[in-house]
Amino acid sequence: MLFQVLMNIIAVFLKFAMWVLFAVVAVPYGVFIVLWKLFPVFTNDGSFWFWSVFAVLTIIAYVILWKPILWIVGTINALGAGN
């Protein structure tokens, strides 16, 4: 019984790590890399305009990529659950 409780706790932490990795870190990092590759001077400047463009593009990326993020995290959770 204790082993099952520990396994459930580990599974919750792994699911949380997947959400953080794919939903919170990957999308803004991808937007930043695209901006950096296309507009290096604008990105390195780091002014108000850069952060405005970055925020808008990140929100647009979340809207477009929300379903694929759910598919990726759901697939990894299903594989981890042994289904």
Side-chain angles (χ1 to χ4, degrees):
M1 174 131 166
L2 180 62
F3 181 72
Q4 186 63 38
V5 171
L6 290 174
M7 290 298 291
N8 288 340
I9 291 171
I10 291 171
V12 167
F13 282 125
L14 287 176
K15 288 178 185 179
F16 179 72
M18 286 298 121
W19 273 106
V20 168
L21 181 67
F22 284 107
V24 179
V25 176
V27 173
Y29 183 72
V31 170
F32 179 76
I33 292 299
V34 167
L35 285 174
W36 189 33
K37 293 289 184 181
L38 294 177
F39 310 106
V41 175
F42 178 66
T43 304
N44 287 334
D45 184 30
S47 66
F48 169 76
W49 292 109
F50 165 72
W51 290 108
S52 299
V53 169
F54 177 75
V56 169
L57 289 178
T58 302
I59 291 170
I60 291 170
Y62 273 122
V63 169
I64 292 171
L65 296 174
W66 189 247
K67 283 282 191 180
I69 289 171
L70 290 177
W71 292 336
I72 290 169
V73 173
T75 302
I76 291 172
N77 285 339
L79 291 173
N83 292 337

Short mmCIF file of all heavy atoms in Angstrom, two decimals, residues 9-65:
data_model
loop_
_atom_site.label_atom_id
_atom_site.label_comp_id
_atom_site.label_asym_id
_atom_site.label_seq_id
_atom_site.Cartn_x
_atom_site.Cartn_y
_atom_site.Cartn_z
N ILE A 9 2.41 9.49 -5.99
CA ILE A 9 3.05 10.78 -5.77
C ILE A 9 4.08 11.05 -6.87
O ILE A 9 4.13 12.15 -7.42
CB ILE A 9 3.69 10.83 -4.37
CG1 ILE A 9 2.61 10.84 -3.30
CG2 ILE A 9 4.60 12.04 -4.23
CD1 ILE A 9 3.13 10.68 -1.89
N ILE A 10 4.85 10.05 -7.22
CA ILE A 10 5.84 10.21 -8.29
C ILE A 10 5.14 10.49 -9.62
O ILE A 10 5.59 11.34 -10.40
CB ILE A 10 6.74 8.96 -8.38
CG1 ILE A 10 7.64 8.89 -7.15
CG2 ILE A 10 7.56 8.98 -9.65
CD1 ILE A 10 8.41 7.60 -7.02
N ALA A 11 4.03 9.82 -9.88
CA ALA A 11 3.29 10.04 -11.12
C ALA A 11 2.75 11.46 -11.19
O ALA A 11 2.79 12.10 -12.26
CB ALA A 11 2.15 9.04 -11.24
N VAL A 12 2.27 11.99 -10.09
CA VAL A 12 1.77 13.37 -10.06
C VAL A 12 2.91 14.35 -10.36
O VAL A 12 2.74 15.30 -11.13
CB VAL A 12 1.10 13.69 -8.71
CG1 VAL A 12 0.86 15.17 -8.55
CG2 VAL A 12 -0.20 12.93 -8.58
N PHE A 13 4.08 14.12 -9.76
CA PHE A 13 5.21 15.00 -10.02
C PHE A 13 5.68 14.91 -11.47
O PHE A 13 6.05 15.91 -12.07
CB PHE A 13 6.37 14.70 -9.06
CG PHE A 13 6.17 15.27 -7.70
CD1 PHE A 13 6.24 14.45 -6.58
CD2 PHE A 13 5.93 16.62 -7.51
CE1 PHE A 13 6.06 14.96 -5.32
CE2 PHE A 13 5.74 17.14 -6.26
CZ PHE A 13 5.80 16.32 -5.15
N LEU A 14 5.65 13.71 -12.06
CA LEU A 14 6.04 13.57 -13.46
C LEU A 14 5.04 14.27 -14.40
O LEU A 14 5.44 14.90 -15.37
CB LEU A 14 6.17 12.10 -13.83
CG LEU A 14 7.40 11.39 -13.26
CD1 LEU A 14 7.36 9.92 -13.61
CD2 LEU A 14 8.66 12.03 -13.78
N LYS A 15 3.75 14.16 -14.09
CA LYS A 15 2.75 14.87 -14.90
C LYS A 15 2.94 16.37 -14.80
O LYS A 15 2.85 17.09 -15.80
CB LYS A 15 1.34 14.49 -14.45
CG LYS A 15 0.94 13.10 -14.82
CD LYS A 15 -0.45 12.79 -14.31
CE LYS A 15 -0.82 11.35 -14.58
NZ LYS A 15 -2.14 11.00 -14.08
N PHE A 16 3.22 16.85 -13.60
CA PHE A 16 3.48 18.28 -13.41
C PHE A 16 4.72 18.71 -14.19
O PHE A 16 4.73 19.76 -14.83
CB PHE A 16 3.66 18.58 -11.92
CG PHE A 16 3.96 20.03 -11.65
CD1 PHE A 16 2.98 20.99 -11.79
CD2 PHE A 16 5.22 20.42 -11.26
CE1 PHE A 16 3.25 22.32 -11.54
CE2 PHE A 16 5.52 21.74 -11.02
CZ PHE A 16 4.52 22.70 -11.16
N ALA A 17 5.76 17.88 -14.18
CA ALA A 17 6.99 18.20 -14.92
C ALA A 17 6.72 18.25 -16.42
O ALA A 17 7.27 19.10 -17.12
CB ALA A 17 8.07 17.17 -14.59
N MET A 18 5.88 17.36 -16.94
CA MET A 18 5.55 17.38 -18.36
C MET A 18 4.80 18.66 -18.73
O MET A 18 5.07 19.27 -19.76
CB MET A 18 4.70 16.17 -18.75
CG MET A 18 5.44 14.87 -18.81
SD MET A 18 6.72 14.93 -20.07
CE MET A 18 8.14 14.62 -19.08
N TRP A 19 3.86 19.07 -17.88
CA TRP A 19 3.14 20.31 -18.14
C TRP A 19 4.09 21.50 -18.13
O TRP A 19 4.01 22.38 -18.99
CB TRP A 19 2.04 20.53 -17.12
CG TRP A 19 0.77 19.86 -17.51
CD1 TRP A 19 0.24 18.73 -16.98
CD2 TRP A 19 -0.11 20.25 -18.56
NE1 TRP A 19 -0.92 18.41 -17.62
CE2 TRP A 19 -1.16 19.33 -18.59
CE3 TRP A 19 -0.10 21.31 -19.47
CZ2 TRP A 19 -2.20 19.43 -19.50
CZ3 TRP A 19 -1.15 21.41 -20.37
CH2 TRP A 19 -2.18 20.47 -20.38
N VAL A 20 4.98 21.52 -17.16
CA VAL A 20 5.93 22.64 -17.08
C VAL A 20 6.84 22.63 -18.28
O VAL A 20 7.08 23.67 -18.90
CB VAL A 20 6.73 22.57 -15.76
CG1 VAL A 20 7.90 23.54 -15.78
CG2 VAL A 20 5.82 22.86 -14.57
N LEU A 21 7.35 21.48 -18.65
CA LEU A 21 8.29 21.39 -19.76
C LEU A 21 7.64 21.77 -21.08
O LEU A 21 8.19 22.59 -21.82
CB LEU A 21 8.85 19.96 -19.84
CG LEU A 21 9.87 19.72 -20.94
CD1 LEU A 21 11.14 20.50 -20.62
CD2 LEU A 21 10.18 18.25 -21.05
N PHE A 22 6.48 21.23 -21.39
CA PHE A 22 5.88 21.47 -22.70
C PHE A 22 5.05 22.75 -22.76
O PHE A 22 5.08 23.45 -23.76
CB PHE A 22 5.01 20.27 -23.12
CG PHE A 22 5.82 19.11 -23.58
CD1 PHE A 22 5.96 17.99 -22.79
CD2 PHE A 22 6.47 19.16 -24.80
CE1 PHE A 22 6.72 16.92 -23.21
CE2 PHE A 22 7.24 18.10 -25.23
CZ PHE A 22 7.36 16.98 -24.43
N ALA A 23 4.29 23.04 -21.74
CA ALA A 23 3.36 24.15 -21.83
C ALA A 23 3.94 25.47 -21.34
O ALA A 23 3.61 26.52 -21.88
CB ALA A 23 2.09 23.83 -21.05
N VAL A 24 4.79 25.43 -20.36
CA VAL A 24 5.27 26.68 -19.77
C VAL A 24 6.62 27.10 -20.33
O VAL A 24 6.86 28.29 -20.53
CB VAL A 24 5.32 26.55 -18.23
CG1 VAL A 24 5.84 27.81 -17.59
CG2 VAL A 24 3.96 26.21 -17.68
N VAL A 25 7.48 26.16 -20.65
CA VAL A 25 8.84 26.49 -21.07
C VAL A 25 9.02 26.44 -22.58
O VAL A 25 9.62 27.34 -23.17
CB VAL A 25 9.85 25.54 -20.38
CG1 VAL A 25 11.26 25.80 -20.87
CG2 VAL A 25 9.79 25.71 -18.87
N ALA A 26 8.50 25.42 -23.23
CA ALA A 26 8.81 25.20 -24.65
C ALA A 26 8.24 26.27 -25.57
O ALA A 26 8.93 26.71 -26.49
CB ALA A 26 8.30 23.82 -25.07
N VAL A 27 7.02 26.70 -25.34
CA VAL A 27 6.40 27.66 -26.24
C VAL A 27 7.10 29.03 -26.18
O VAL A 27 7.49 29.55 -27.23
CB VAL A 27 4.88 27.77 -25.98
CG1 VAL A 27 4.26 28.88 -26.79
CG2 VAL A 27 4.21 26.44 -26.28
N PRO A 28 7.28 29.63 -25.01
CA PRO A 28 8.00 30.92 -25.00
C PRO A 28 9.44 30.80 -25.48
O PRO A 28 9.95 31.70 -26.15
CB PRO A 28 7.96 31.36 -23.54
CG PRO A 28 6.84 30.62 -22.94
CD PRO A 28 6.73 29.33 -23.68
N TYR A 29 10.10 29.69 -25.17
CA TYR A 29 11.47 29.50 -25.65
C TYR A 29 11.50 29.41 -27.17
O TYR A 29 12.38 29.99 -27.81
CB TYR A 29 12.07 28.24 -25.03
CG TYR A 29 13.50 28.01 -25.41
CD1 TYR A 29 14.52 28.80 -24.89
CD2 TYR A 29 13.85 27.00 -26.31
CE1 TYR A 29 15.84 28.60 -25.26
CE2 TYR A 29 15.16 26.79 -26.68
CZ TYR A 29 16.15 27.58 -26.15
OH TYR A 29 17.46 27.39 -26.51
N GLY A 30 10.55 28.71 -27.76
CA GLY A 30 10.48 28.62 -29.22
C GLY A 30 10.22 29.97 -29.86
O GLY A 30 10.82 30.31 -30.88
N VAL A 31 9.32 30.76 -29.28
CA VAL A 31 9.06 32.10 -29.80
C VAL A 31 10.32 32.96 -29.71
O VAL A 31 10.67 33.69 -30.64
CB VAL A 31 7.88 32.76 -29.04
CG1 VAL A 31 7.75 34.24 -29.40
CG2 VAL A 31 6.59 32.03 -29.35
N PHE A 32 11.02 32.86 -28.59
CA PHE A 32 12.25 33.64 -28.42
C PHE A 32 13.30 33.24 -29.45
O PHE A 32 13.96 34.11 -30.05
CB PHE A 32 12.81 33.45 -27.00
CG PHE A 32 14.08 34.21 -26.76
CD1 PHE A 32 14.05 35.57 -26.56
CD2 PHE A 32 15.30 33.56 -26.76
CE1 PHE A 32 15.21 36.28 -26.35
CE2 PHE A 32 16.47 34.24 -26.56
CZ PHE A 32 16.43 35.62 -26.35
N ILE A 33 13.47 31.95 -29.69
CA ILE A 33 14.46 31.49 -30.66
C ILE A 33 14.10 31.96 -32.07
O ILE A 33 14.97 32.39 -32.84
CB ILE A 33 14.61 29.96 -30.61
CG1 ILE A 33 15.23 29.55 -29.27
CG2 ILE A 33 15.43 29.43 -31.76
CD1 ILE A 33 16.61 30.11 -29.02
N VAL A 34 12.82 31.90 -32.43
CA VAL A 34 12.41 32.39 -33.75
C VAL A 34 12.71 33.87 -33.89
O VAL A 34 13.24 34.32 -34.91
CB VAL A 34 10.91 32.08 -33.99
CG1 VAL A 34 10.38 32.85 -35.20
CG2 VAL A 34 10.69 30.61 -34.16
N LEU A 35 12.37 34.66 -32.87
CA LEU A 35 12.67 36.09 -32.93
C LEU A 35 14.18 36.34 -32.99
O LEU A 35 14.63 37.24 -33.71
CB LEU A 35 12.07 36.81 -31.72
CG LEU A 35 10.57 37.03 -31.75
CD1 LEU A 35 10.09 37.62 -30.43
CD2 LEU A 35 10.19 37.95 -32.90
N TRP A 36 14.92 35.55 -32.26
CA TRP A 36 16.37 35.74 -32.23
C TRP A 36 17.00 35.41 -33.58
O TRP A 36 17.93 36.08 -34.03
CB TRP A 36 16.97 34.89 -31.12
CG TRP A 36 18.41 35.13 -30.84
CD1 TRP A 36 19.08 36.31 -30.92
CD2 TRP A 36 19.35 34.16 -30.41
NE1 TRP A 36 20.38 36.13 -30.55
CE2 TRP A 36 20.58 34.83 -30.24
CE3 TRP A 36 19.27 32.81 -30.14
CZ2 TRP A 36 21.72 34.16 -29.82
CZ3 TRP A 36 20.40 32.16 -29.72
CH2 TRP A 36 21.62 32.83 -29.56
N LYS A 37 16.51 34.35 -34.23
CA LYS A 37 17.05 33.97 -35.54
C LYS A 37 16.66 34.97 -36.63
O LYS A 37 17.44 35.26 -37.52
CB LYS A 37 16.56 32.57 -35.95
CG LYS A 37 17.10 31.46 -35.09
CD LYS A 37 18.56 31.26 -35.36
CE LYS A 37 19.06 30.07 -34.56
NZ LYS A 37 20.46 29.82 -34.74
N LEU A 38 15.42 35.48 -36.59
CA LEU A 38 14.95 36.38 -37.63
C LEU A 38 15.39 37.83 -37.41
O LEU A 38 15.69 38.54 -38.38
CB LEU A 38 13.42 36.32 -37.74
CG LEU A 38 12.84 34.99 -38.21
CD1 LEU A 38 11.33 35.04 -38.20
CD2 LEU A 38 13.35 34.64 -39.59
N PHE A 39 15.39 38.28 -36.15
CA PHE A 39 15.70 39.67 -35.83
C PHE A 39 16.69 39.74 -34.66
O PHE A 39 16.31 40.08 -33.53
CB PHE A 39 14.42 40.43 -35.45
CG PHE A 39 13.30 40.26 -36.44
CD1 PHE A 39 12.21 39.47 -36.15
CD2 PHE A 39 13.35 40.90 -37.66
CE1 PHE A 39 11.18 39.32 -37.06
CE2 PHE A 39 12.32 40.76 -38.58
CZ PHE A 39 11.23 39.96 -38.28
N PRO A 40 17.96 39.43 -34.89
CA PRO A 40 18.91 39.37 -33.77
C PRO A 40 19.15 40.71 -33.08
O PRO A 40 19.26 40.77 -31.85
CB PRO A 40 20.19 38.83 -34.40
CG PRO A 40 20.05 39.07 -35.85
CD PRO A 40 18.60 39.09 -36.15
N VAL A 41 19.21 41.79 -33.83
CA VAL A 41 19.46 43.10 -33.21
C VAL A 41 18.26 43.52 -32.37
O VAL A 41 18.41 44.02 -31.25
CB VAL A 41 19.78 44.16 -34.30
CG1 VAL A 41 19.92 45.53 -33.69
CG2 VAL A 41 21.03 43.76 -35.06
N PHE A 42 17.07 43.33 -32.91
CA PHE A 42 15.83 43.67 -32.20
C PHE A 42 15.71 42.86 -30.91
O PHE A 42 15.33 43.39 -29.87
CB PHE A 42 14.64 43.41 -33.12
CG PHE A 42 13.31 43.66 -32.50
CD1 PHE A 42 12.93 44.94 -32.14
CD2 PHE A 42 12.43 42.62 -32.28
CE1 PHE A 42 11.68 45.18 -31.57
CE2 PHE A 42 11.19 42.84 -31.72
CZ PHE A 42 10.81 44.13 -31.36
N THR A 43 16.05 41.58 -30.98
CA THR A 43 15.95 40.71 -29.81
C THR A 43 16.99 41.07 -28.76
O THR A 43 16.70 41.12 -27.56
CB THR A 43 16.11 39.24 -30.22
OG1 THR A 43 15.14 38.95 -31.22
CG2 THR A 43 15.90 38.31 -29.04
N ASN A 44 18.22 41.33 -29.19
CA ASN A 44 19.28 41.68 -28.23
C ASN A 44 19.06 43.03 -27.59
O ASN A 44 19.58 43.30 -26.50
CB ASN A 44 20.64 41.64 -28.90
CG ASN A 44 21.10 40.23 -29.18
OD1 ASN A 44 20.70 39.29 -28.50
ND2 ASN A 44 21.93 40.07 -30.20
N ASP A 45 18.30 43.90 -28.25
CA ASP A 45 18.01 45.22 -27.68
C ASP A 45 17.20 45.08 -26.39
O ASP A 45 17.48 45.75 -25.40
CB ASP A 45 17.27 46.06 -28.71
CG ASP A 45 17.01 47.47 -28.24
OD1 ASP A 45 17.84 47.99 -27.46
OD2 ASP A 45 16.00 48.06 -28.66
N GLY A 46 16.20 44.20 -26.39
CA GLY A 46 15.41 43.92 -25.19
C GLY A 46 14.59 45.09 -24.71
O GLY A 46 14.35 45.24 -23.51
N SER A 47 14.15 45.92 -25.62
CA SER A 47 13.37 47.10 -25.23
C SER A 47 11.91 46.74 -24.99
O SER A 47 11.50 45.58 -25.06
CB SER A 47 13.48 48.16 -26.33
OG SER A 47 12.85 47.69 -27.51
N PHE A 48 11.14 47.79 -24.72
CA PHE A 48 9.71 47.62 -24.50
C PHE A 48 9.04 46.98 -25.71
O PHE A 48 8.16 46.12 -25.58
CB PHE A 48 9.06 48.97 -24.19
CG PHE A 48 7.56 48.94 -24.20
CD1 PHE A 48 6.86 48.39 -23.14
CD2 PHE A 48 6.84 49.43 -25.29
CE1 PHE A 48 5.48 48.35 -23.14
CE2 PHE A 48 5.47 49.39 -25.31
CZ PHE A 48 4.78 48.85 -24.23
N TRP A 49 9.45 47.38 -26.92
CA TRP A 49 8.83 46.86 -28.13
C TRP A 49 9.11 45.37 -28.32
O TRP A 49 8.26 44.63 -28.78
CB TRP A 49 9.28 47.66 -29.35
CG TRP A 49 8.74 49.05 -29.29
CD1 TRP A 49 9.46 50.19 -29.06
CD2 TRP A 49 7.38 49.45 -29.38
NE1 TRP A 49 8.61 51.27 -29.03
CE2 TRP A 49 7.33 50.84 -29.22
CE3 TRP A 49 6.20 48.75 -29.59
CZ2 TRP A 49 6.14 51.54 -29.26
CZ3 TRP A 49 5.01 49.47 -29.62
CH2 TRP A 49 4.99 50.84 -29.46
N PHE A 50 10.32 44.96 -27.97
CA PHE A 50 10.62 43.52 -28.05
C PHE A 50 9.71 42.72 -27.13
O PHE A 50 9.13 41.71 -27.54
CB PHE A 50 12.08 43.24 -27.70
CG PHE A 50 12.33 41.78 -27.43
CD1 PHE A 50 12.32 40.87 -28.45
CD2 PHE A 50 12.52 41.32 -26.13
CE1 PHE A 50 12.51 39.51 -28.20
CE2 PHE A 50 12.71 39.98 -25.88
CZ PHE A 50 12.71 39.08 -26.91
N TRP A 51 9.58 43.15 -25.89
CA TRP A 51 8.75 42.41 -24.94
C TRP A 51 7.28 42.44 -25.32
O TRP A 51 6.54 41.48 -25.08
CB TRP A 51 8.97 42.92 -23.52
CG TRP A 51 10.33 42.55 -23.03
CD1 TRP A 51 11.38 43.39 -22.84
CD2 TRP A 51 10.80 41.24 -22.73
NE1 TRP A 51 12.47 42.68 -22.44
CE2 TRP A 51 12.16 41.36 -22.36
CE3 TRP A 51 10.23 39.97 -22.76
CZ2 TRP A 51 12.93 40.26 -22.00
CZ3 TRP A 51 11.01 38.88 -22.40
CH2 TRP A 51 12.33 39.04 -22.03
N SER A 52 6.84 43.52 -25.95
CA SER A 52 5.46 43.58 -26.43
C SER A 52 5.23 42.57 -27.55
O SER A 52 4.24 41.82 -27.54
CB SER A 52 5.14 44.99 -26.94
OG SER A 52 5.29 45.92 -25.91
N VAL A 53 6.13 42.56 -28.51
CA VAL A 53 6.02 41.60 -29.62
C VAL A 53 6.13 40.17 -29.10
O VAL A 53 5.38 39.28 -29.51
CB VAL A 53 7.09 41.90 -30.70
CG1 VAL A 53 7.17 40.78 -31.72
CG2 VAL A 53 6.81 43.23 -31.36
N PHE A 54 7.07 39.95 -28.19
CA PHE A 54 7.27 38.62 -27.61
C PHE A 54 6.00 38.14 -26.89
O PHE A 54 5.58 36.99 -27.06
CB PHE A 54 8.46 38.66 -26.64
CG PHE A 54 8.71 37.36 -25.94
CD1 PHE A 54 9.30 36.31 -26.61
CD2 PHE A 54 8.38 37.20 -24.60
CE1 PHE A 54 9.54 35.11 -25.96
CE2 PHE A 54 8.62 36.02 -23.95
CZ PHE A 54 9.21 34.96 -24.63
N ALA A 55 5.38 39.00 -26.11
CA ALA A 55 4.17 38.62 -25.38
C ALA A 55 3.02 38.30 -26.34
O ALA A 55 2.32 37.29 -26.16
CB ALA A 55 3.77 39.73 -24.42
N VAL A 56 2.83 39.13 -27.34
CA VAL A 56 1.74 38.89 -28.30
C VAL A 56 1.97 37.60 -29.06
O VAL A 56 1.05 36.79 -29.23
CB VAL A 56 1.60 40.11 -29.24
CG1 VAL A 56 0.67 39.78 -30.40
CG2 VAL A 56 1.12 41.32 -28.48
N LEU A 57 3.19 37.38 -29.54
CA LEU A 57 3.48 36.15 -30.29
C LEU A 57 3.38 34.91 -29.41
O LEU A 57 2.96 33.85 -29.88
CB LEU A 57 4.86 36.24 -30.93
CG LEU A 57 4.98 37.21 -32.10
CD1 LEU A 57 6.41 37.23 -32.62
CD2 LEU A 57 4.01 36.85 -33.20
N THR A 58 3.73 35.02 -28.14
CA THR A 58 3.60 33.88 -27.23
C THR A 58 2.14 33.54 -27.01
O THR A 58 1.76 32.36 -27.00
CB THR A 58 4.30 34.19 -25.90
OG1 THR A 58 5.67 34.49 -26.15
CG2 THR A 58 4.20 33.03 -24.93
N ILE A 59 1.29 34.54 -26.85
CA ILE A 59 -0.14 34.29 -26.68
C ILE A 59 -0.71 33.64 -27.94
O ILE A 59 -1.49 32.68 -27.86
CB ILE A 59 -0.88 35.60 -26.32
CG1 ILE A 59 -0.48 36.04 -24.92
CG2 ILE A 59 -2.38 35.42 -26.43
CD1 ILE A 59 -0.93 37.42 -24.54
N ILE A 60 -0.33 34.14 -29.11
CA ILE A 60 -0.79 33.56 -30.36
C ILE A 60 -0.31 32.11 -30.48
O ILE A 60 -1.06 31.22 -30.91
CB ILE A 60 -0.33 34.41 -31.56
CG1 ILE A 60 -1.05 35.75 -31.56
CG2 ILE A 60 -0.55 33.67 -32.88
CD1 ILE A 60 -0.50 36.74 -32.55
N ALA A 61 0.94 31.85 -30.11
CA ALA A 61 1.47 30.48 -30.17
C ALA A 61 0.71 29.56 -29.22
O ALA A 61 0.44 28.40 -29.57
CB ALA A 61 2.95 30.49 -29.83
N TYR A 62 0.36 30.04 -28.03
CA TYR A 62 -0.43 29.20 -27.11
C TYR A 62 -1.81 28.89 -27.70
O TYR A 62 -2.30 27.77 -27.59
CB TYR A 62 -0.60 29.88 -25.75
CG TYR A 62 0.52 29.60 -24.80
CD1 TYR A 62 1.27 30.63 -24.25
CD2 TYR A 62 0.84 28.31 -24.43
CE1 TYR A 62 2.30 30.39 -23.37
CE2 TYR A 62 1.87 28.05 -23.55
CZ TYR A 62 2.59 29.09 -23.03
OH TYR A 62 3.61 28.83 -22.16
N VAL A 63 -2.43 29.87 -28.34
CA VAL A 63 -3.75 29.64 -28.93
C VAL A 63 -3.66 28.60 -30.05
O VAL A 63 -4.48 27.69 -30.15
CB VAL A 63 -4.35 30.97 -29.45
CG1 VAL A 63 -5.57 30.73 -30.30
CG2 VAL A 63 -4.68 31.89 -28.29
N ILE A 64 -2.64 28.72 -30.89
CA ILE A 64 -2.49 27.80 -32.01
C ILE A 64 -2.04 26.42 -31.55
O ILE A 64 -2.51 25.40 -32.07
CB ILE A 64 -1.49 28.38 -33.04
CG1 ILE A 64 -2.09 29.62 -33.69
CG2 ILE A 64 -1.11 27.35 -34.08
CD1 ILE A 64 -1.12 30.39 -34.55
N LEU A 65 -1.15 26.35 -30.57
CA LEU A 65 -0.53 25.08 -30.18
C LEU A 65 -1.19 24.41 -28.98
O LEU A 65 -0.66 23.43 -28.47
CB LEU A 65 0.95 25.30 -29.88
CG LEU A 65 1.80 25.73 -31.06
CD1 LEU A 65 3.21 26.05 -30.60
CD2 LEU A 65 1.83 24.66 -32.12
#
